[in-house]
Amino acid sequence: MTQSDIVISSSDSERLQSKAANGIRRLGVSPGARVLFCVESSANLLFAIGGALRSGVVPVVVNPQLLINERTPIVENSESVAIIDSPKKLAELFSGGTDEISMFPLTRPMLYTSGTSGTPKGVVSPLLDEADAKKLWSEEIEQWSFCAEDVHLVCSPLYHSAPIRLSLSTLLAGGSIVVPGKFKADEIVKSIKETQPTTTFCTPTHLQRLVESGHIGELGSLRLVLHAGSKCEDKLKRIVINDIGINKVWEFYGSTEGQFSVCSSTEWLDRPGTVGKARSNRKILVGEDEVIWSSCPSYARWEYWNDKPKTLEAWDGDFFTVGDLGYLDDDGYLYLRGRRDDLVVSGGVNIYPVEIEFVLQNLSGIEDVVVFGVEDERWGQKLCAAIVGSVSQQ
């Protein structure tokens, strides 16, 4: 068993998070300031993020695979006091003593999202007092019933919000984590057999790779398999539910900015395509323009870093939007159509690429498909589809 396959307990993580907090302070980063992390995913990266959050420091977590010209604007925009961009610098955070840290993280990581604009936007949350911090993180623990018996398998990179949130929530609940490193289907299966996790979070891409490798059934030993991050196609979803178990697979819909809905497999099978109902402490509204809005508790508010116009555009009172389009059925179940910037208007008719993709994805010979609009002199825009599979043009 490699170091990355070791089950790390909540008590061990507490010590390591407090050591990381001490290391961050030694760099001269004070509460409210930002420290940027641009390193590969690892347990130590998670503990450094946790140590920062629990000492009131804002960790800016960046994808280490970004090219220099992609990374530089983020580094400059973040105004970070310190930068951790190598395994050596990360290890040095744990080389000293310990600092006292808060019981719960006092904010959320600052992550960059480009949405459909192509321009990275930093999503930042305010520093919270102890009471509101407890509300924010207890909400996630209660949503998924994390407890001391849980072992969370980290399948996704720790520069995304969901794996950070779910991993830290498990540790806060007294549970343990396993961080195998970069996703490989065979390695994930090996880790499941050796560490016996109870929960995990996957993207549909991860699930597809496990299906293709013939190992999707291995996740049936877990009590909870969460997925989000992109649309899970109908065929894949049904295979996953069948091979893992109807009571174990859950989907949630959200973004770097905030969370909207949750959906059990039973609900999805009754209403194929839905992403569920509003999660606890949220309400979902859909306007006449089909833009989706979610209410947000005061302790979960956020803004776009150094971009007041974009922030004002995203908020309407206690409700925010990330520009996604959809509709609610009579029972309050949400369905997504795509993003407003993805909308194709052809001959004066609104066309939602995601709905065309849903139809094409279920045709024989098509493994994956992306539908998009291109300019057209006669129609204004016309649809094109990029297809992966054995199907040929007729």
Side-chain angles (χ1 to χ4, degrees):
M1 186 180 296
T2 64
Q3 182 70 27
S4 60
D5 288 325
I6 292 176
V7 176
I8 305 170
S9 68
S10 178
S11 58
D12 284 341
S13 80
E14 288 290 303
R15 176 178 56 82
L16 291 166
Q17 288 180 65
S18 65
K19 286 177 74 68
N22 175 270
I24 290 169
R25 179 176 56 78
R26 295 199 313 271
L27 293 176
V29 186
S30 56
R34 287 158 302 287
V35 56
L36 186 140
F37 293 92
C38 188
V39 291
E40 294 291 337
S41 294
S42 66
N44 275 351
L45 174 59
L46 180 66
F47 301 144
I49 293 170
L53 293 172
R54 294 174 68 178
S55 54
V57 170
V58 180
V60 182
V61 191
V62 178
N63 181 355
Q65 296 180 15
L66 292 179
L67 301 176
I68 293 297
N69 64 315
E70 297 172 317
R71 184 189 310 173
T72 300
I74 294 175
V75 173
E76 294 176 348
N77 178 263
S78 72
E79 300 177 9
S80 297
V81 176
I83 297 176
I84 306 298
D85 57 2
S86 71
K88 180 182 178 181
K89 289 182 180 180
L90 181 62
E92 288 173 351
L93 294 181
F94 301 89
S95 63
T98 61
D99 276 9
E100 185 176 346
I101 54 178
S102 172
M103 182 175 294
F104 290 90
L106 299 174
T107 184
R108 295 189 291 167
M110 180 173 168
L111 304 174
Y112 277 79
T113 176
S114 61
T116 53
S117 69
T119 303
K121 301 186 295 293
V123 180
V124 63
S125 302
L127 288 181
L128 303 172
D129 59 27
E130 293 276 356
D132 279 346
K134 180 178 180 180
K135 290 177 184 177
L136 175 65
W137 290 87
S138 294
E139 182 181 290
E140 197 71 27
I141 294 170
E142 293 167 4
Q143 176 67 62
W144 308 116
S145 300
F146 290 137
C147 65
E149 285 71 43
D150 276 321
V151 178
H152 185 74
L153 178 65
V154 182
C155 287
S156 298
L158 290 168
Y159 48 81
H160 291 310
S161 58
I164 295 174
R165 188 175 70 250
L166 296 167
S167 300
L168 290 180
S169 295
T170 301
L171 293 170
L172 290 168
S176 305
I177 62 164
V178 179
V179 188
K182 189 173 181 179
F183 183 93
K184 295 179 181 178
D186 290 344
E187 290 299 316
I188 290 297
V189 171
K190 177 174 175 286
S191 187
I192 290 174
K193 292 179 178 178
E194 293 179 344
T195 64
Q196 299 183 324
T198 60
T199 68
T200 195
F201 164 78
C202 295
T203 66
T205 300
H206 294 146
L207 295 172
Q208 181 66 48
R209 290 178 183 174
L210 286 165
V211 169
E212 291 172 353
S213 68
H215 292 311
I216 189 65
E218 299 291 345
L219 295 183
S221 62
L222 282 65
R223 74 164 182 87
L224 178 66
V225 176
L226 299 171
H227 74 84
S230 63
K231 179 177 174 56
C232 189
E233 301 298 341
D234 183 275
K235 288 191 295 187
L236 175 60
K237 179 96 172 185
R238 292 180 186 277
I239 291 171
V240 168
I241 292 172
N242 182 70
D243 289 4
I244 296 177
I246 190 171
N247 295 321
K248 298 181 177 183
V249 179
W250 284 69
E251 179 176 3
F252 63 84
Y253 160 60
S255 64
T256 301
E257 291 85 345
Q259 299 303 298
F260 289 73
S261 66
V262 296
C263 186
S264 69
S265 291
T266 300
E267 292 171 307
W268 188 88
L269 289 172
D270 288 341
R271 301 169 175 81
T274 186
V275 290
K277 285 187 170 183
R279 64 181 285 157
S280 178
N281 300 320
R282 304 290 191 277
K283 294 180 181 178
I284 293 176
L285 298 177
V286 177
E288 292 184 1
D289 56 1
E290 297 190 320
V291 174
I292 303 167
W293 296 80
S294 174
S295 66
C296 183
S298 60
Y299 53 78
R301 290 185 71 90
W302 55 270
E303 63 184 41
Y304 291 121
W305 174 250
N306 285 342
D307 197 335
K308 188 173 182 180
K310 284 288 185 183
T311 300
L312 291 173
E313 185 180 320
W315 285 92
D316 185 359
D318 292 331
F319 283 77
F320 72 90
T321 184
V322 293
D324 287 345
L325 304 179
Y327 64 93
L328 293 168
D329 69 13
D330 293 340
D331 296 316
Y333 284 88
L334 179 64
Y335 295 77
L336 303 181
R337 290 193 185 277
R339 296 185 66 91
R340 174 154 295 280
D341 290 348
D342 294 333
L343 180 66
V344 175
V345 181
S346 183
V349 176
N350 289 352
I351 302 174
Y352 301 94
V354 69
E355 295 182 345
I356 308 301
E357 290 169 0
F358 180 78
V359 174
L360 294 177
Q361 186 71 44
N362 288 285
L363 297 179
S364 177
I366 295 181
E367 297 175 12
D368 199 4
V369 60
V370 174
V371 174
F372 53 95
V374 296
E375 298 301 316
D376 184 81
E377 290 185 2
R378 181 177 182 184
W379 297 98
Q381 286 182 299
K382 65 180 180 180
L383 289 180
C384 283
I387 293 172
V388 175
S390 59
V391 67
S392 59
Q393 184 174 353
Q394 299 296 320

